[in-house]
Amino acid sequence: MIMDRLNFIQKFSSFLGISIVSTTLLESCTSNPEEEEIVLTEEEILYNSLKEKTSEHGKFLDGRILYIDVTHEDFSDLNTVGEFINDSDNYILILRKTEDVFQVFSNCCPHLGTTNQWSYNQGSFRCANHGNSYGTGTQNIARCGSRSTSGNLKQYQTMINQDILTIDFDS
Ligand code: FES
């Protein structure tokens, strides 16, 4: 699910303590008046901040919001469409669905809650513990550990800003 771009900037900039007051902001002033001042957009300022915060581990958790740099070496499996990563620290499966679309799901199996036996093939995740498969749609969500043997995995809202993926755990 793609969130509105403006809402994204307004919502997540507040998490990072960035105050956005105009459509463009001056990033820095130069001592040489002949040099051009660098003017960054709100989105560029937010992006630069997130790149810095995710630089060490490829991810940064801020409350209920998770930021992932999908180009970080720890997430290199996401370079390939159709591949996924099981981020056990955050209990999620991150799927590169297409070149431009990432989807994020709970990694808790709806059957009995296993989190680490997933494989993915053509729109379905399969849990090898008892062999049940679950879809990636947004309807008919099967809850974690509810003994469901079918349905779709719980999915979180995401937003991609260049190579920074934002995941909203409250969605
Ligand atoms: S726990 Fe996943 S299929 Fe049973």
Side-chain angles (χ1 to χ4, degrees):
M1 229 177 282
I2 305 298
M3 296 173 63
D4 175 77
R5 199 165 194 80
L6 183 58
N7 286 342
F8 162 78
I9 294 170
Q10 291 172 338
K11 179 174 182 179
F12 299 120
S13 60
S14 65
F15 277 99
L16 295 170
I18 299 170
S19 175
I20 306 290
V21 295
S22 65
T23 55
T24 57
L25 297 174
L26 298 180
E27 171 74 351
S28 63
C29 295
T30 174
S31 56
N32 184 347
E34 293 187 3
E35 288 181 18
E36 281 190 29
E37 291 175 327
I38 299 171
V39 179
L40 298 178
T41 65
E42 297 164 358
E43 194 164 343
E44 288 168 335
I45 293 170
L46 177 59
Y47 173 77
N48 290 343
S49 173
L50 292 172
K51 281 297 273 189
E52 186 181 330
K53 289 175 185 290
T54 56
S55 61
E56 188 172 352
H57 302 295
K59 57 189 173 184
F60 167 64
L61 181 64
D62 188 2
R64 301 281 295 160
I65 304 293
L66 177 67
Y67 303 95
I68 291 177
D69 181 347
V70 297
T71 63
H72 191 276
E73 60 182 3
D74 290 358
F75 292 88
S76 60
D77 284 355
L78 296 177
N79 290 338
T80 306
V81 171
E83 291 292 328
F84 78 96
I85 283 180
N86 188 341
D87 178 0
S88 56
D89 290 344
N90 294 296
Y91 307 101
I92 51 174
L93 305 168
I94 307 162
L95 170 68
R96 183 160 204 161
K97 187 175 183 185
T98 69
E99 202 61 47
D100 303 319
V101 175
F102 294 83
Q103 290 182 319
V104 177
F105 306 90
S106 166
N107 73 356
C108 177
C109 180
H111 185 218
L112 296 181
T114 297
T115 60
N116 61 356
Q117 296 192 41
W118 293 107
S119 59
Y120 176 78
N121 188 32
Q122 297 186 337
S124 291
F125 282 95
R126 180 179 183 275
C127 174
N129 197 2
H130 304 98
N132 296 315
S133 292
Y134 303 91
T136 54
T138 56
Q139 307 290 318
N140 189 27
I141 302 300
R143 286 184 299 107
C144 166
S146 61
R147 296 185 173 270
S148 299
T149 57
S150 63
N152 292 311
L153 294 179
K154 160 71 180 169
Q155 187 172 164
Y156 298 103
Q157 279 192 336
T158 64
M159 172 73 195
I160 190 79
N161 180 6
Q162 299 186 51
D163 49 16
I164 298 290
L165 179 67
T166 299
I167 300 152
D168 183 354
F169 287 124
D170 283 333
S171 60

